[in-house]
Amino acid sequence: MAAGCARPSGGHGQRWALPLRPPLCLACAVETLGDSSASLVRKKHVLSRLQDALAWQALPVVQLLAPDERVCIHLIGTLFGMLHTVEDSSALDLFVEVLVRLVVELKSEQYLRCILDESQKELCKANTMRGSLPTFTLLGKLADAIPGFADILVVEHSNLVDHLLMGLMYPNEGIKAAVCYLYGKLYSSPVGTERLSAHFEERLCGLFLNTLGRAQTKELQVNCLGLLKELLKSDYFVSILMNNSRTEEESENPDFLEGENPLPLVLKKLLLTRDEMLQAASSHCVTAVLVHSPSRYAPAFIHADVPEFLFECLSCNSEILIWSVYCCLLLLTEEHLFFSKCHTVYGIESLVRSLQDVLQLNNVELHKQGLLLFTEILKRQPVEIKLFTNRGVCIEAIDVLMETVNCPVLEVVVEAVRAVAAFLRKDHLSSPPVPYEELQKLLEAVLKRCADLSPPQSSKRHAGDLLFSVSQSHPASRNLSRVPQRQGQFLLNTLESFRNACRLAVEFQSDPMAQENAFTAPNSESKDTLSNFSEFLLRICDSLCIPMVMNYLERAVSPSVMEVFISTLNTLFTVVPNMRNKFSKKLASSSFIRLTLELKARFCSVQSNPALNQACSSFLCSLCLSLYSATEKKRTSSQEEQEMSELLQKGLPQLNYTVAESLLLLAETPEPFSLDQSLCSHQHCFILLLYFAYTLGDRFVPEAELFLAIRNFLLSAQDHGDCPPPYILRAALYLLAVCQDKGKALDLRSLCTIRRILDNLPDLSLVYVHCPLLLKFFLRYPELMGRFGHQVLQLWFSWGACKQAETEEAGFGMSEQLNSANPLLPILKSNSSILLILLDLVCSSSVEVAWKVLMTLRTFLERNEDVLVCDLLRSQFLQILQQLLVESSSASLQANRNLPILLSLLFLVQLRSKGVRELDSTDFRLLHQVSNLCGKCRPRDTDLLQPSLNFLYWNLHQTTPCSQQRGSPDTLSRPNRSPECSHLQEEEANPAVSEHHAVPESCPATELLLLSAGDHWPKHSPRCYATTAIITAGCCLAPPCHATGLLTCCQSAEPFGACPVAERLAALSSCGCLPGNLGGIPVHEEPGCCSTCCLTALAPIPALHTTQWGPEVLSAARSSQADDFVSEISEQQYYFSKRN
């Protein structure tokens, strides 16, 4: 009938026909279901057709049934009654499905209450709980399909809950499963949770845990876990389930836990099963408990050894289970007991292997969660418990990190870099040998990956300029829009990794086992050394880290990023101690002082960003102290360094002003009788920062403004009666000197203030800086030069860069490069009165200082021929020679290496005399002193005799031909003849003893020209002096045994005039004024007083007739100012036969 109601004999009419193939008469279907005589097979067929109709044509069914409530109630009652009369399980499932679908489509609470009423009646009259299974199943399905059904049940039919408890106690896991399913739906409703909270605490909790713990079928286990999941959403139910009423001592006692059947042990039992679905559900429940309060509930799970079984679950292939375990372990890491029980030590290998396997899957979220768990374990692992007891696992962990750093997904890379930062700890890597080479590769990969993600730098600008441009052009509100937040976080994590690596290197410096690889084979080098790793850190910071941050500064400025970056730079000062000075100079020259000050002014005012403020202050303090030790090597004082360190540590954290504000701060005067020293501290700190920045070329403050600010600071300090420390005065004077050219000249008040401040110092060297600008500053003002010029020049030459070894190698002809680098020369040209101070230094200073002064004077006279200082210098030279001859013995004169330079300068002054002139008293006194000096010399003292003879000759040559002046015997008194000179004259007088050739008598006018064997060499070129050849009328006068060693003349020397120069020199030598027998000059013994000989020798010499000179003689004469007429004679080639 159900399929043929469209026929006239059907009696129901066409309107009851449902549009199915074949057609279904709904009226016939209802009649068939209510017919007790119909077979079960037929009823199942009708139910199947009705199920299809409700599934595909629900609207026609509802339209037919809804108008007539009687028909609907009859159909619902018929279906509900069949649930308890049919025993076929498949038919029961079909009845439940159709009934639930029908009630859902009718959408009327009336029918729900009808079913609840019938269910209550059925449960009450049931003889056993076995027949209640269909009712519990139906109620569970209805609660699942209709949201408001659970609320109606617990509010209007609460007595049904008592039957649920009875079903849970019935020894049938099918019924228990249905009851747990229904309970789960009831507790998923807020109304049900509220109404049934007391029911759970008083009656259900223990029964439920017992059911879950003893469940054998998977259906019951799953439904129990479903109910548990709903219960665990409430903190109230969690506290009941975890039995939170126990004391803390009881909850940490494993024996107490074993005596009960608490939730941790039940869930651990499920983890022991090999069913991945139950393991995942169990780990989910553990996570749901820990979410409420890890500190309260984690100890119970840890004492139950749940973490151990969670780590074992990581060896599975189920992504869901691995995810669940990762989440659960991540929450357990928040409890210290998780680490103290060594669960991480036993499980780290499983975690590393799991990460290796997970990276082969295409599941980004799983990658991130695993790396997050790994990071937290690395970060929270106690220092006293070593995590990687096996070096192989440590190497595998590095490989995992390397692979994740190279992952193409940025989110995974960010987590990987965070893991790298946590991994770089001493206790994680202290197992020898430390894998330095692998760590270098890992760090380089991290930095390169971060650099690759950054856009290219638009221009090469200094750090301070970059920050300034960002602060002006890119407001903070637009920073994040230009720089993706994840990229900024990635940079932050990268810098944290690099900072931890630097700290790791510093910590390993105190560990002898970490210095190098102890397992290196003998006689072989290992790259796994701390030294190589430290140098790598410094090198890669310079090549990758700093440029990367500078690139970031072009687009945004983040306080957290800059805090990590600045603290990293501060740590690098101690990574490679021998490179600290070089590193600090490079940072200062790259405007990092300005960068740090700008960061403090922008982000650290009004007590904001204390971490950044502390990092910047510590960095500036370390940088200044490092620069102090690097630039003040001659003066480094532990006490001064300690005072400077205390000042910087105290004042820098409060120095959070802009540059303009700090300049104004320098001119402020503290209040009278004020005990607050913060203003002075801020002023001193800022001056020190400016000083070190300017010494390295970072002039970020306009010179004119700075000059005025420093001047005001000194005036304010003097007016207030303060005396800044010497290192502050040193910095202030240096800044004044550097900015002097851009500022106005100091007035008299300022100069008097500076003079009074300097007069109070015990030693001017305390504030001296070896800088040409400071020297120029002191010599610029007469008020300062007259008082401090001598001391400043003394310090200038004492601190000079010339070394004794270089001077001995260069000799008299110092290199052009050194001479041209002397900044004192232009100052001397502009103020020649400084020459008097320099000449005074020759007498009052040490040998080294006097040598440098004389070399400076020599260079000055050579380059500045237009400066008329000859008369001034000759009188000073006379005083110097008189002092030397009076205070020194013959031996000390011969050992004085400055005396030859002094005589050479005297000769050079004589050469500067334009034309010929009459000898004055100064000339005669100089001749007398030089003659006395020659008398005290030995023949081997060619370094003294050479400039002396040059001076004597040219002094006599410069006199006028018609001069009738004569020196008096008192002026040229005869000195004591040296023993060597007397001995040599005796040898020369004896022809049998002397081996020297006398001057031929055939030469009517014996003329001598003393030529240097190196007279053809360039001017000022360093040379070794060769043997002197004496040319007399074309003959070479020298000892025959050494004639082959002398320079052979290519052209005969022509006599150069009738002036008996040689005779006059010979006359001087005969009385001891000049050494006899030097270079072939004959000795004439004259009895009696030598005054006549001396006066004859000192008579004016006519001008030379140069027209008769040969080319070599002319060349020697032209180069007379560059090369000496008497050259040094090597001791090996110049000797006297009797003596040797």
Side-chain angles (χ1 to χ4, degrees):
M1 295 292 293
C5 292
R7 297 192 302 268
S9 58
H12 294 138
Q14 187 67 31
R15 71 183 187 92
W16 292 96
L18 298 177
L20 297 177
R21 293 288 185 269
L24 174 65
C25 178
L26 182 58
C28 294
V30 173
E31 291 178 353
T32 303
L33 293 175
D35 187 3
S36 59
S37 61
S39 64
L40 181 60
V41 174
R42 186 178 177 185
K43 291 181 179 180
K44 288 177 62 177
H45 173 71
V46 172
L47 284 175
S48 177
R49 298 297 309 278
L50 185 57
Q51 182 184 21
D52 294 339
L54 290 172
W56 303 104
Q57 301 292 334
L59 183 58
V61 175
V62 173
Q63 291 176 347
L64 291 174
L65 295 178
D68 193 346
E69 295 181 359
R70 184 180 56 84
V71 175
C72 294
I73 294 176
H74 171 72
L75 179 58
I76 291 173
T78 301
L79 294 174
F80 184 83
M82 295 178 64
L83 291 176
H84 302 88
T85 57
V86 177
E87 296 182 357
D88 189 339
S89 59
S90 60
L92 288 175
D93 294 337
L94 188 57
F95 290 153
V96 172
E97 181 69 25
V98 173
L99 184 55
V100 171
R101 180 64 62 89
L102 180 61
V103 174
V104 170
E105 294 297 336
L106 290 175
K107 300 178 183 179
S108 175
E109 294 185 0
Q110 177 184 356
Y111 306 125
L112 294 178
R113 292 183 175 87
C114 178
I115 293 177
L116 288 174
D117 291 338
E118 293 296 328
S119 298
Q120 185 173 354
K121 293 177 183 179
E122 185 63 33
L123 291 174
C124 290
K125 69 178 183 180
N127 296 326
T128 62
M129 292 302 301
R130 183 180 296 273
S132 303
L133 177 60
T135 303
F136 293 143
T137 304
L138 174 62
L139 294 176
K141 295 287 186 180
L142 287 173
D144 185 30
I146 302 173
F149 179 78
D151 297 341
I152 297 175
L153 190 152
V154 297
V155 172
E156 300 180 10
H157 297 80
S158 58
N159 51 354
L160 283 175
V161 179
D162 296 333
H163 297 282
L164 294 179
L165 283 176
M166 296 174 60
L168 201 58
M169 292 184 290
Y170 189 76
N172 184 296
E173 293 201 351
I175 296 177
K176 290 181 180 181
V179 171
C180 287
Y181 185 83
L182 179 55
Y183 263 127
K185 298 306 175 181
L186 295 180
Y187 279 101
S188 65
S189 168
V191 176
T193 302
E194 182 182 357
R195 290 298 186 96
L196 298 178
S197 58
H199 170 78
F200 177 81
E201 181 179 6
E202 297 171 1
R203 307 176 65 183
L204 179 61
C205 181
L207 183 60
F208 167 69
L209 288 176
N210 184 63
T211 303
L212 176 60
R214 298 182 179 183
Q216 300 295 323
T217 62
K218 187 174 182 179
E219 181 184 11
L220 179 57
Q221 291 173 336
V222 171
N223 289 351
C224 285
L225 290 173
L227 171 58
L228 179 62
K229 183 179 178 182
E230 295 297 334
L231 293 171
L232 295 178
K233 293 179 181 180
S234 171
D235 186 51
Y236 173 73
F237 292 140
V238 170
S239 63
I240 295 174
L241 287 167
M242 294 299 294
N243 198 5
N244 197 46
S245 60
R246 294 196 303 257
T247 62
E248 184 177 354
E249 292 77 9
E250 290 176 338
S251 47
E252 292 184 0
N253 186 357
D255 297 333
F256 184 85
L257 293 173
E258 291 292 344
E260 300 286 336
N261 191 17
L263 184 61
L265 295 180
V266 172
L267 295 177
K268 184 179 76 170
K269 180 180 178 181
L270 294 175
L271 287 175
L272 291 174
T273 64
R274 295 302 176 185
D275 193 319
E276 293 182 353
M277 186 183 71
L278 293 178
Q279 290 175 327
S282 175
S283 60
H284 271 140
C285 291
V286 176
T287 303
V289 173
L290 296 175
V291 162
H292 292 278
S293 178
S295 60
R296 289 176 60 189
Y297 305 127
F301 291 101
I302 294 172
H303 282 298
D305 293 330
V306 172
E308 178 182 351
F309 298 100
L310 289 173
F311 277 115
E312 289 184 0
C313 292
L314 291 176
S315 59
C316 69
N317 297 322
S318 173
E319 297 182 24
I320 298 177
L321 177 56
I322 294 175
W323 171 270
S324 302
V325 172
Y326 282 166
C327 295
C328 186
L329 290 173
L330 187 61
L331 291 170
L332 287 173
T333 57
E334 299 183 24
E335 173 58 36
H336 179 73
L337 195 63
F338 177 67
F339 300 95
S340 62
K341 291 292 184 179
C342 296
H343 287 293
T344 53
V345 178
Y346 301 134
I348 190 64
E349 183 173 359
S350 300
L351 177 58
V352 172
R353 301 283 171 78
S354 172
L355 287 172
Q356 289 177 333
D357 297 336
V358 163
L359 291 176
Q360 309 304 318
L361 305 175
N362 189 20
N363 192 331
V364 174
E365 294 301 322
L366 196 59
H367 298 169
K368 291 167 54 180
Q369 196 71 8
L371 287 171
L372 182 60
L373 171 61
F374 189 37
T375 302
E376 292 302 317
I377 291 177
L378 292 171
K379 286 172 58 178
R380 298 174 183 270
Q381 181 70 19
V383 177
E384 63 274 9
I385 302 176
K386 187 177 295 185
L387 182 62
F388 295 98
T389 57
N390 185 350
R391 188 174 184 270
V393 179
C394 182
I395 299 298
E396 289 181 359
I398 296 176
D399 294 338
V400 169
L401 294 174
M402 180 74 77
E403 185 176 355
T404 52
V405 165
N406 295 322
C407 178
V409 182
L410 179 59
E411 295 177 356
V412 176
V413 179
V414 170
E415 293 296 336
V417 175
R418 290 183 66 248
V420 172
F423 180 75
L424 294 171
R425 271 176 40 183
K426 181 181 178 181
D427 51 291
H428 294 334
L429 297 163
S430 58
S431 298
V434 180
Y436 289 117
E437 192 170 0
E438 288 78 5
L439 293 179
Q440 290 185 25
K441 295 178 181 178
L442 179 60
L443 282 172
E444 189 172 7
V446 170
L447 289 172
K448 285 185 176 180
R449 186 63 193 276
C450 187
D452 292 341
L453 292 175
S454 302
Q457 190 170 350
S458 60
S459 60
K460 293 183 178 180
R461 300 154 69 185
H462 280 195
D465 298 329
L466 290 174
L467 181 59
F468 181 77
S469 63
V470 169
S471 62
Q472 296 295 321
S473 304
H474 308 291
S477 60
R478 289 184 289 173
N479 287 341
L480 295 179
S481 62
R482 298 198 61 186
V483 182
Q485 188 173 3
R486 287 185 302 176
Q487 186 176 337
Q489 184 65 35
F490 185 33
L491 176 61
L492 177 62
N493 296 339
T494 301
L495 292 176
E496 288 178 346
S497 301
F498 188 72
R499 178 178 62 178
N500 291 349
C502 296
R503 291 175 176 175
L504 181 68
V506 174
E507 292 174 356
F508 277 148
Q509 290 176 359
S510 59
D511 187 0
M513 295 295 295
Q515 299 295 323
E516 58 184 11
N517 190 349
F519 301 99
T520 305
N523 301 325
S524 63
E525 294 185 1
S526 173
K527 295 182 179 180
D528 279 353
T529 62
L530 178 60
S531 176
N532 291 339
F533 181 66
S534 301
E535 293 176 1
F536 159 80
L537 292 176
L538 196 61
R539 183 173 61 254
I540 203 168
C541 176
D542 184 44
S543 60
L544 279 179
C545 187
I546 293 179
M548 185 171 58
V549 177
M550 295 302 103
N551 186 16
Y552 172 77
L553 282 178
E554 286 189 347
R555 297 165 287 123
V557 182
S558 170
S560 58
V561 171
M562 297 312 297
E563 183 268 324
V564 177
F565 176 61
I566 295 297
S567 63
T568 302
L569 296 179
N570 190 29
T571 306
L572 278 171
F573 285 126
T574 54
V575 170
V576 186
N578 59 340
M579 296 291 290
R580 175 178 180 175
N581 293 341
K582 185 177 180 181
F583 180 63
S584 60
K585 289 181 179 179
K586 186 165 186 179
L587 290 177
S589 62
S590 301
S591 301
F592 271 85
I593 293 179
R594 177 187 179 186
L595 169 66
T596 312
L597 289 176
E598 291 284 350
L599 286 172
K600 286 170 64 65
R602 183 176 175 187
F603 296 107
C604 303
S605 58
V606 295
Q607 305 298 323
S608 59
N609 295 307
L612 176 61
N613 188 25
Q614 182 60 38
C616 292
S617 302
S618 300
F619 168 73
L620 288 175
C621 182
S622 300
L623 180 61
C624 291
L625 293 177
S626 178
L627 291 173
Y628 172 79
S629 62
T631 57
E632 306 289 346
K633 294 181 180 179
K634 291 177 66 72
R635 178 180 28 226
T636 301
S637 168
S638 59
Q639 180 180 358
E640 185 174 279
E641 187 172 2
Q642 180 65 26
E643 293 178 0
M644 187 182 300
S645 176
E646 293 176 357
L647 170 67
L648 293 172
Q649 291 176 3
K650 179 182 178 181
L652 284 175
Q654 286 77 38
L655 191 64
N656 300 325
Y657 309 106
T658 63
V659 173
E661 293 171 346
S662 299
L663 288 177
L664 295 176
L665 194 69
L666 290 179
E668 290 189 12
T669 303
E671 294 293 334
F673 310 106
S674 175
L675 299 178
D676 187 11
Q677 298 295 321
S678 59
L679 177 60
C680 291
S681 176
H682 295 166
Q683 291 174 335
H684 295 173
C685 288
F686 187 61
I687 289 176
L688 282 177
L689 294 174
L690 289 173
Y691 168 68
F692 289 119
Y694 269 66
T695 54
L696 274 301
D698 181 18
R699 302 188 176 187
F700 59 91
V701 181
E703 284 88 343
E705 298 179 12
L706 180 58
F707 183 81
L708 183 61
I710 297 297
R711 182 188 71 87
N712 294 336
F713 165 74
L714 294 176
L715 292 175
S716 174
Q718 182 67 21
D719 294 341
H720 194 255
D722 291 338
C723 184
Y727 55 89
I728 299 299
L729 290 177
R730 179 165 64 244
L733 290 175
Y734 173 82
L735 294 173
L736 278 179
V738 170
C739 302
Q740 175 66 83
D741 293 340
K742 298 297 179 64
K744 297 180 180 180
L746 292 175
D747 55 7
L748 184 60
R749 181 194 173 198
S750 302
L751 292 173
C752 292
T753 298
I754 295 175
R755 180 169 178 173
R756 282 195 296 268
I757 292 176
L758 296 180
D759 282 337
N760 293 328
L761 294 175
D763 188 2
L764 190 64
S765 63
L766 296 175
V767 298
Y768 175 76
V769 180
H770 192 67
C771 171
L773 294 175
L774 184 66
L775 177 66
K776 182 180 178 181
F777 177 77
F778 272 96
L779 300 180
R780 172 179 180 145
Y781 298 100
E783 294 83 358
L784 297 180
M785 185 180 72
R787 178 66 180 85
F788 307 106
H790 187 280
Q791 300 178 57
V792 170
L793 287 170
Q794 172 80 25
L795 292 169
W796 171 263
F797 288 104
S798 299
W799 289 43
C802 300
K803 298 179 181 179
Q804 184 176 359
E806 295 175 353
T807 57
E808 293 177 354
E809 179 180 356
F812 182 73
M814 201 173 176
S815 67
E816 186 73 21
Q817 181 181 2
L818 185 59
N819 290 338
S820 61
N822 194 339
L824 186 57
L825 298 180
I827 303 177
L828 287 175
K829 188 173 182 179
S830 62
N831 189 358
S832 58
S833 59
I834 305 174
L835 294 171
L836 298 177
I837 304 177
L838 295 180
L839 291 174
D840 183 60
L841 289 176
V842 174
C843 299
S844 60
S845 303
S846 62
V847 176
E848 289 76 12
V849 172
W851 184 89
K852 295 174 185 177
V853 174
L854 291 171
M855 295 303 298
T856 301
L857 289 173
R858 175 189 180 278
T859 305
F860 173 72
L861 291 175
E862 287 180 346
R863 296 185 179 182
N864 300 278
E865 298 181 359
D866 56 335
V867 180
L868 301 178
V869 293
C870 296
D871 295 337
L872 179 66
L873 293 179
R874 286 190 301 114
S875 61
Q876 294 296 319
F877 281 142
L878 177 59
Q879 297 179 14
I880 296 173
L881 284 174
Q882 288 175 345
Q883 181 179 351
L884 287 175
L885 291 174
V886 170
E887 297 178 356
S888 304
S889 62
S890 298
S892 61
L893 286 174
Q894 295 160 6
N896 190 341
R897 67 189 185 99
N898 291 335
L899 190 56
I901 304 176
L902 179 64
L903 293 171
S904 300
L905 287 176
L906 181 60
F907 172 58
L908 191 60
V909 170
Q910 292 297 98
L911 291 179
R912 296 283 303 279
S913 300
K914 302 298 181 181
V916 294
R917 60 178 177 81
E918 295 289 343
L919 295 177
D920 56 13
S921 60
T922 304
D923 295 323
F924 276 99
R925 289 189 179 93
L926 286 171
L927 284 170
H928 174 69
Q929 300 299 335
V930 174
S931 298
N932 287 342
L933 178 62
C934 291
K936 294 183 179 182
C937 294
R938 298 172 302 177
R940 292 189 181 91
D941 298 330
T942 56
D943 53 346
L944 290 175
L945 292 175
Q946 173 186 340
S948 300
L949 292 177
N950 286 339
F951 170 76
L952 292 174
Y953 173 78
W954 278 104
N955 207 352
L956 297 176
H957 175 64
Q958 288 297 106
T959 59
T960 59
C962 59
S963 176
Q964 300 300 321
Q965 292 184 3
R966 294 292 184 269
S968 65
D970 295 336
T971 304
L972 294 173
S973 60
R974 178 174 181 173
N976 294 329
R977 184 179 301 180
S978 64
E980 294 85 351
C981 201
S982 302
H983 179 69
L984 291 176
Q985 289 182 16
E986 292 176 1
E987 288 180 345
E988 185 65 23
N990 188 353
V993 177
S994 177
E995 298 180 1
H996 296 283
H997 296 270
V999 179
E1001 297 179 0
S1002 59
C1003 183
T1006 305
E1007 301 293 338
L1008 300 176
L1009 178 62
L1010 284 72
L1011 296 176
S1012 171
D1015 62 350
H1016 58 286
W1017 290 344
K1019 184 178 182 180
H1020 303 310
S1021 60
R1023 64 184 185 276
C1024 297
Y1025 294 103
T1027 306
T1028 300
I1030 310 303
I1031 309 299
T1032 304
C1035 300
C1036 180
L1037 302 181
C1041 60
H1042 289 91
T1044 58
L1046 299 179
L1047 180 67
T1048 305
C1049 298
C1050 299
Q1051 182 176 352
S1052 299
E1054 296 292 332
F1056 52 92
C1059 179
V1061 177
E1063 294 177 3
R1064 298 184 184 188
L1065 293 176
L1068 282 172
S1069 65
S1070 65
C1071 67
C1073 295
L1074 291 177
N1077 209 10
L1078 176 61
I1081 299 178
V1083 178
H1084 298 274
E1085 294 288 349
E1086 298 291 341
C1089 180
C1090 67
S1091 299
T1092 304
C1093 300
C1094 291
L1095 293 177
T1096 304
L1098 295 176
I1101 301 177
L1104 300 179
H1105 300 285
T1106 60
T1107 57
Q1108 301 179 5
W1109 290 5
E1112 293 187 1
V1113 178
L1114 288 172
S1115 175
R1118 293 189 187 101
S1119 60
S1120 61
Q1121 293 188 20
D1123 297 310
D1124 306 318
F1125 277 84
V1126 180
S1127 301
E1128 291 185 357
I1129 303 174
S1130 61
E1131 194 169 343
Q1132 291 79 10
Q1133 296 182 355
Y1134 176 81
Y1135 69 100
F1136 295 93
S1137 58
K1138 180 107 180 188
R1139 181 178 295 276
N1140 295 328

